[in-house]
Amino acid sequence: MLRRTKKERQRLLSETIAENPFVTDEQLATQFQVSVQTIRLDRMELSIPELRERIKDVASKNYENEVKSLPIDEVIGEIVDIELDNRALSIFDVKEEHVFQRNGIARGHHLFAQANSLAVAVINDELALTVHSNITFVKPVRAGNRVITKAIVIGRDDKNHRTKVEVTSTVNGETVFVGEFDMYRTKGKGE
Amino acid sequence: MLRRTKKERQRLLSETIAENPFVTDEQLATQFQVSVQTIRLDRMELSIPELRERIKDVASKNYENEVKSLPIDEVIGEIVDIELDNRALSIFDVKEEHVFQRNGIARGHHLFAQANSLAVAVINDELALTVHSNITFVKPVRAGNRVITKAIVIGRDDKNHRTKVEVTSTVNGETVFVGEFDMYRTKGKGE
DNA sequence: ACTGATATTAGTACCAAGTGCTAATAACAA
DNA sequence: TTGTTATTAGCACTTGGTACTAATATCAGT
């Protein structure tokens, strides 16, 4: 009689490997009290790659993430339309690396980054800095979502070097984020 | 004559491997136009482990992080002190890649990211999301600055699943950023 | 030009953790 | 008993190495 049915063993095998991809066929054979060959047949049937490939997968994922974990430099999102000192539009595709592992919801600072860098970009000046901002995350955004962000200049006070920008982000037409940005600029109009 | 001196080759070798740990001795030999044995001697002298070990290192680092899966991994800046549902402290070193090329001033979204992720981290809950935030960039921050950010839970409304967090960032004792974060959480106290 | 040190290359045996294949045996079911 | 499925065994081969020995090459100093 079989210690366990083949099916059961394969189910546990998948689990075990998923839990710890660093386990060798020999260790698995000992664990399940079968021959190494059986483990290999099982892996084939389940199309689970060999140890080295599994490790390489984990490593290369890590590598990608490491590279991507600092992409927070230039403008976040792609600017698709801009009319300086008036309005601007950018698109940002939310990927796995932008969301919380736990719940798959985009981390706020990415949405803020897109909005903020668009607010900076719309200002027609050498120097534009965010002074103050009031923002609301209206609805969770998830991986795969395409966020369309619109910035509109709604007010200027050249005496105080201030410009007010309203930013709204939507996914599939639904508002997910709104913010008001008070920007500082060095120059006034037409200087 | 040597194509390059041994030293020079070894310097480049270290760099190359650091950049891409997935490279084999054979590829390196081709790249530097030397024999595989030379590459191996170089690796020994520099005590760089073999390909498989390198990959395993990358993979296991990744694995550790994944296992933790606490938001503490996903924080921008390094958390140096935390007392859940009460306060937290993180440090973030501003580098060249975080500032505007034009004026050397840190982009707002990096400061926001540090503050926001600290506000998320301080919440003792599986799920914590920023709902609303009011922030002020008090003083410009520059490359080389060390930003110390403190988050303090200043209020809770468990009926509405809300927690209010006040975040203050300083550089050399001077306040550079303040923000108030309204956080959403799934669970109430002691649930 | 000769000697010695350093650097490079070549070659062998061996290892881990496999793949790919064939063949034998075991277990079970009808 | 026969057929099917499952398991085990064994062998040759692969990658990307280690560990070691031995032969050359290259260069510097006298």
Side-chain angles (χ1 to χ4, degrees), chain A residues 33-91:
Chain A
Q33 287 291 316
V34 292
S35 71
V36 173
Q37 281 79 358
T38 302
I39 296 294
R40 287 182 182 158
L41 283 173
D42 284 347
R43 274 201 298 101
M44 300 231 172
E45 286 179 26
L46 300 166
S47 49
I48 296 170
E50 63 167 292
L51 170 72
R52 283 153 180 161
E53 291 307 313
R54 293 194 306 261
I55 292 184
K56 214 186 284 176
D57 286 351
V58 175
S60 56
K61 249 185 230 165
N62 191 27
Y63 222 63
E64 275 174 39
N65 286 345
E66 252 178 50
V67 174
K68 281 179 196 157
S69 71
L70 292 167
I72 197 159
D73 42 291
E74 288 310 316
V75 173
I76 305 297
E78 197 193 344
I79 294 183
V80 289
D81 185 30
I82 191 162
E83 198 180 303
L84 289 170
D85 280 333
N86 189 358
R87 53 176 180 75
L89 203 68
S90 85
I91 290 181

Side-chain angles (χ1 to χ4, degrees), chain B residues 42-150:
Chain B
D42 285 347
R43 274 201 298 103
M44 300 234 170
E45 286 180 26
L46 301 166
S47 50
I48 295 169
E50 63 167 293
L51 171 71
R52 283 153 181 160
E53 291 307 314
R54 293 194 306 261
I55 291 184
K56 216 186 282 176
D57 286 352
V58 176
S60 55
K61 247 185 233 164
N62 191 27
Y63 220 64
E64 269 174 42
N65 288 346
E66 250 179 52
V67 170
K68 276 188 217 158
S69 98
L70 290 164
I72 208 157
D73 282 348
E74 305 189 332
V75 170
I76 306 295
E78 197 193 342
I79 293 186
V80 289
D81 184 31
I82 191 163
E83 199 179 304
L84 290 170
D85 280 334
N86 188 0
R87 55 179 178 71
L89 203 69
S90 84
I91 290 180
F92 172 57
D93 286 314
V94 177
K95 306 226 172 82
E96 283 303 327
E97 67 262 31
H98 304 119
V99 305
F100 287 107
Q101 288 169 343
R102 281 221 183 128
N103 52 39
I105 295 174
R107 286 166 189 272
H109 60 254
H110 291 113
L111 295 176
F112 177 83
Q114 185 188 11
N116 185 56
S117 54
L118 197 63
V120 171
V122 77
I123 305 284
N124 182 16
D125 202 303
E126 302 264 309
L127 180 75
L129 292 174
T130 310
V131 174
H132 183 90
S133 170
N134 199 311
I135 60 187
T136 306
F137 296 89
V138 180
K139 218 175 158 301
V141 173
R142 289 161 194 285
N145 285 166
R146 168 163 292 190
V147 183
I148 299 187
T149 296
K150 193 180 204 167

Side-chain angles (χ1 to χ4, degrees), chain A residues 3 15 21 28 30 32 49-50 53 63 68 77 83-84 86 92 96 103 109 145-146 172 174 181 190-191:
Chain A
R3 280 161 290 269
E15 263 181 43
L28 290 164
T30 312
F32 293 106
E50 63 167 292
E53 291 307 313
Y63 222 63
K68 281 179 196 157
E83 198 180 303
L84 289 170
N86 189 358
F92 171 57
E96 283 302 326
N103 52 42
H109 62 255
N145 285 166
R146 167 162 291 189
N172 295 326
E174 273 193 292
F181 290 80
E191 246 180 276

